[in-house]
Each structure stands twice: as structure tokens, then as C-alpha cells.
Amino acid sequence: FDSSGNPVAIATGTDGQVLTSAGAGAQPAFETLPTASQDIVLLETVEASSSSTVSLTAFDNSTYNNYLITIDALPADHSRNLQGKFSTDGGSSYITSNYDYGRIFRENTTVYGQQAFSQSIMNFANITTSNVASEGGWVATLELFNCASAAVGTGYIFVGGAYRSGVTTYNGTEWGVHGVAQDMDAIQFQSNSGNIASGTFKLYGRK
């Protein structure tokens, strides 16, 4: 209807547009909705299958400085820890020095605190799991910070848990940093011994 209350034909829109008000006294119109902004975007999913390593290389440092990784994986062998290394060349090679960390983890009812410097690998929160699928394997999130900065060391926060063959439950948190400021653009995971039998590793960009 126009401002006088008379019916008025409205031009048809195109696919995906919606009819929106133009305000009092104005004819409505079909308009395209603005694109929703996503703060967390899935960039890559890698499935492990008897894998000696799992690499996530779809970093987009021109868009993201921070990343979130989710991990749900099972080692091939019993009583294994999950480890990781960064790359500065898209995964062609991985860094084996200058990893610093502090961690708090619980083994059954006992709580431990540890720290170490100038390590050759990230040994995430000392979370040890069995290779029995029904016991869950490694379940964790890993947040990465300042990956796109060559002026600030890449930091990380790991939160995870595991269960080992009816004897021990683990959960822990680890904060760490690579002690040399570099632009990190890939990460590789491995078991401290043997393969990763199965599992899903997902990389998300975080704004």
C-alpha cells in the first residue's frame, strides 16, 4: 500500500532476497541480507588412520592470527602421550627446539605441576591414554595465539583428558610458547611412540 492506503505492486526480488520494510510511508522492497560474520571458521579436517603423524597446514595468516584445534584421537599403542611441533614453511619441515611450557595435570586424585624450557617438542599436558577405543583416547582442544606475528612468540593453551585401561584418569591444562618469535603456519601431531590409529583433527580460524 502507498501512503494513501492504495494497493501498489512491488517489484519482485531475486533468489535469496527477502521483503523488508523501508519505514513509515514507504513501500517495502526486496533486499539481500548482509553476509553474517563468523568469528570461528572451519579451515581443515584431517582424519588419522594408522598415521605416524597428522599435519594441519590450512593456516590463513593473512586473515587469522589465532586458531582453535579440536582433537579426538586414539593411539595405536597403550599408554601414549600426544605431542606436537610448529612449522614456519607450510609444513615442509617442523621445528624441533625452543618449546617452553608450564602445566597442571591430574592423575587420578593427585595433582602435579611441571615446567620445562627449550624442549624439542610440545608434550601436551602429560595426558596419557590407552589404545582401547571404548576408553575414548585423547579428547582435547588446543588454542594457538599470535601465529601470524613474526614479532611475538606463538603461544598455546591445551586442555584435555584421557582414560587408561581401568587404572588411571588424566586431565590437564598446559600453557606454552615457542621461545623464538616466528610466523607459524602449520602444526604436526604425533604419538610419543607408535602411530595414531584413528581420530579427527579440526583446524578453525579465530578472529
Side-chain angles (χ1 to χ4, degrees), residues 52-65:
S52 59
T53 60
V54 171
S55 298
L56 296 172
T57 61
F59 283 51
D60 180 4
N61 287 358
S62 63
T63 303
Y64 306 103
N65 191 36

Side-chain angles (χ1 to χ4, degrees), residues 102-120:
R103 65 166 71 118
I104 297 175
F105 69 97
R106 181 183 62 83
E107 180 180 320
N108 286 335
T109 59
T110 304
V111 177
Y112 299 90
Q114 298 175 340
Q115 66 179 11
F117 303 95
S118 300
Q119 300 296 293
S120 62

Side-chain angles (χ1 to χ4, degrees), residues 24 31 46 63 80 90 95 100 104 126 147 154-156 161 171 181 185 201 206:
E31 297 181 347
V46 175
T63 303
R80 296 294 180 249
I95 300 169
D100 305 330
I104 297 175
N126 204 34
C147 291
T154 295
Y156 68 88
N171 57 65
D185 56 11
F201 294 74
R206 294 180 61 239

